[in-house]
Amino acid sequence: MFSSIEFDNFAIHIIDQLKLPNELVYIDIASIQDAWLAINRMNIRGAPALASLATLSIAQKLHNTEYSSTDNLLSDVNDACDYLYTARPTAVNLGVALDQVRQAAKTADKQAIIDQAILVWSEDVSRNKRMSDNGANWLIDELEKKGKIEKGGKISILTVCNTGSLATSGYGTAFGMITRLHELGRLERAYYAATTPYYQGTRLTAFEFVQLSIPSCLVCDTAIGSLISSGTVQAVTVGADRIALNGDTANKIGTMQAALFANAYDIPFTVVAPRASVDRNLQNGQSIPIEQRPAKEAVTVRGVEVDRNTLASVRLAPKEIGNDPLHTVYNPGFDVTPARLISAVVLETGVAVARNNSSDIDVSSLL
């Protein structure tokens, strides 16, 4: 297992995920401003990883600063939390983690604040393993109970985007559930969507499956319906950037189409995420803020030139697209999947499913 974040003696290094899989490059994070830029530019991504980097950068700042007064300390903490939250607003984990740091700041104890900031990162792996185990066991039981697989049989499963060690502090969420199925000897093959326009599936999920020698298959985003309708996969699992109390879930763009196809062909669709992904202030997903990404991301692609074996960025669309008001780009980072399309929400505390033919899932029962 590897991690997207290295933290040692208050030095922070992150894998530059924009360079993967062609280059393994680490970026030094030496300030809160560095952390903000890395999050905003998507050098690091994945809701749990964003939260970890943000709070570690606060711990680093406090460790390296001598404060003449408590007021100065608290002002620095609050300013840092306000600033870091603006980097990417859709992922609720970021806001929850920063609120935990604010709460620790009420002690006016510098070390207590630092300890809480580090705890967000250090607890992530064990949390991921618990939710992954919950999800794998629930899915096996569900498929066997409904006769979708033979008892002891193997499962082929589809996922979207990247939710592995690159998106967390280690092991992963939905990716972790797939890893757990593999560890249990119950995985036939993992299928993963390319996840354009940043190709998090093609670049990052592929990279992780190769590292772990997990049998896998890349799926073009436009082929998801074809794959599910063919009966090749028996389930879909995804992560989450924000979950409302009724189960509505914001996740990487393309998640909702996978849920629609899973629902149409009666296969389980699970959301696997930490409790921190649940927004306790949202009754449903209608008011989840959806980040609009720059047009440039949709009209360019970065990779290795096959003939020259050198990295290059290539524009795919005419130069007017995204640069001319007449020719715009719709590039949301996320979509919101309604709870009625979700079979189960899996957290580290358990599994919630819809009850009594309700279209909602009572996620609050797991908090």
Side-chain angles (χ1 to χ4, degrees):
M1 185 181 70
F2 57 94
S3 174
S4 58
I5 303 172
E6 292 184 356
F7 180 70
D8 183 34
N9 196 27
F10 294 93
I12 305 171
H13 311 285
I14 65 168
I15 294 175
D16 185 354
Q17 297 185 31
L18 296 180
K19 301 287 181 66
L20 289 175
N22 303 304
E23 293 181 295
L24 183 58
V25 176
Y26 284 84
I27 298 174
D28 294 337
I29 303 297
S31 68
I32 285 169
Q33 291 74 22
D34 287 348
W36 189 97
L37 285 171
I39 292 169
N40 181 259
R41 294 175 178 175
M42 293 179 65
N43 301 102
I44 188 170
R45 24 72 49 213
L50 304 189
S52 292
L53 177 59
T55 59
L56 287 177
S57 72
I58 293 174
Q60 180 190 67
K61 163 76 172 175
L62 299 190
H63 174 76
N64 293 336
T65 305
E66 292 293 332
Y67 291 97
S68 58
S69 70
T70 299
D71 286 346
N72 288 342
L73 168 65
L74 298 183
S75 177
D76 245 12
V77 171
N78 286 322
D79 287 350
C81 289
D82 290 345
Y83 176 62
L84 286 162
Y85 183 72
T86 66
R88 293 196 74 193
T90 299
V92 71
N93 307 58
L94 181 58
V96 169
L98 294 172
D99 283 345
Q100 290 171 344
V101 173
R102 291 182 201 272
Q103 191 65 29
K106 291 181 178 179
T107 65
D109 181 336
K110 177 178 168 179
Q111 190 57 51
I113 303 169
I114 290 174
D115 290 345
Q116 176 57 51
I118 294 174
L119 193 63
V120 171
W121 165 74
S122 62
E123 285 189 336
D124 193 33
V125 175
S126 61
R127 187 166 48 232
N128 293 339
K129 288 187 175 182
R130 289 197 301 274
M131 72 182 76
S132 298
D133 193 56
N134 290 340
N137 288 325
W138 179 87
L139 181 62
I140 290 168
D141 290 344
E142 181 74 2
L143 292 175
E144 289 184 346
K145 180 175 64 179
K146 293 188 174 180
K148 300 282 187 177
I149 60 169
E150 295 180 1
K151 192 164 185 66
K154 292 190 175 184
I155 300 165
S156 288
I157 189 167
L158 170 69
T159 192
V160 175
C161 196
N162 173 261
T163 57
S165 291
L166 291 170
T168 64
S169 298
Y171 203 75
T173 55
F175 188 101
M177 175 176 157
I178 294 171
T179 300
R180 184 62 183 143
L181 288 170
H182 180 64
E183 291 170 347
L184 292 170
R186 301 299 298 271
L187 180 70
E188 182 69 34
R189 185 170 296 273
Y191 292 76
Y192 57 98
T195 317
T196 56
Y198 250 18
Y199 291 94
Q200 285 102 324
T202 306
R203 295 186 301 107
L204 307 179
T205 301
F207 177 82
E208 294 203 46
F209 280 137
V210 169
Q211 299 302 307
L212 297 174
S213 298
I214 292 176
S216 64
C217 178
L218 170 65
V219 181
C220 299
D221 291 347
T222 49
I224 286 176
S226 172
L227 176 75
I228 292 175
S229 68
S230 72
T232 302
V233 296
Q234 291 81 50
V236 180
T237 187
V238 301
D241 286 82
R242 187 177 299 226
I243 304 171
L245 290 173
N246 74 331
D248 291 353
T249 297
N251 192 50
K252 180 56 60 182
I253 191 72
T255 298
M256 183 166 56
Q257 70 157 325
L260 285 164
F261 282 118
N263 183 261
Y265 288 92
D266 192 29
I267 65 172
F269 182 95
T270 60
V271 172
V272 185
R275 279 189 302 170
S277 293
V278 179
D279 190 332
R280 302 177 189 220
N281 298 314
L282 280 182
Q283 293 303 313
N284 58 59
Q286 293 179 4
S287 57
I288 294 177
I290 299 299
E291 178 185 358
Q292 296 293 326
R293 298 296 301 174
K296 178 183 177 182
E297 295 177 3
V299 298
T300 58
V301 65
R302 188 173 188 275
V304 173
E305 287 190 47
V306 176
D307 294 334
R308 299 182 182 180
N309 198 34
T310 57
L311 287 172
S313 292
V314 179
R315 185 177 179 88
L316 300 174
K319 64 180 183 301
E320 291 83 3
I321 305 302
N323 292 319
D324 184 331
L326 191 63
H327 305 290
T328 58
V329 173
Y330 180 64
N331 185 23
F334 306 90
D335 55 31
V336 179
T337 300
R340 63 181 174 80
L341 298 177
I342 297 171
S343 306
V345 173
V346 181
L347 308 183
E348 68 267 32
T349 50
V351 181
V353 298
R355 300 290 184 190
N356 302 320
N357 296 318
S358 171
S359 61
D360 291 344
I361 295 174
D362 182 15
V363 180
S364 63
S365 64
L366 300 179
L367 301 179

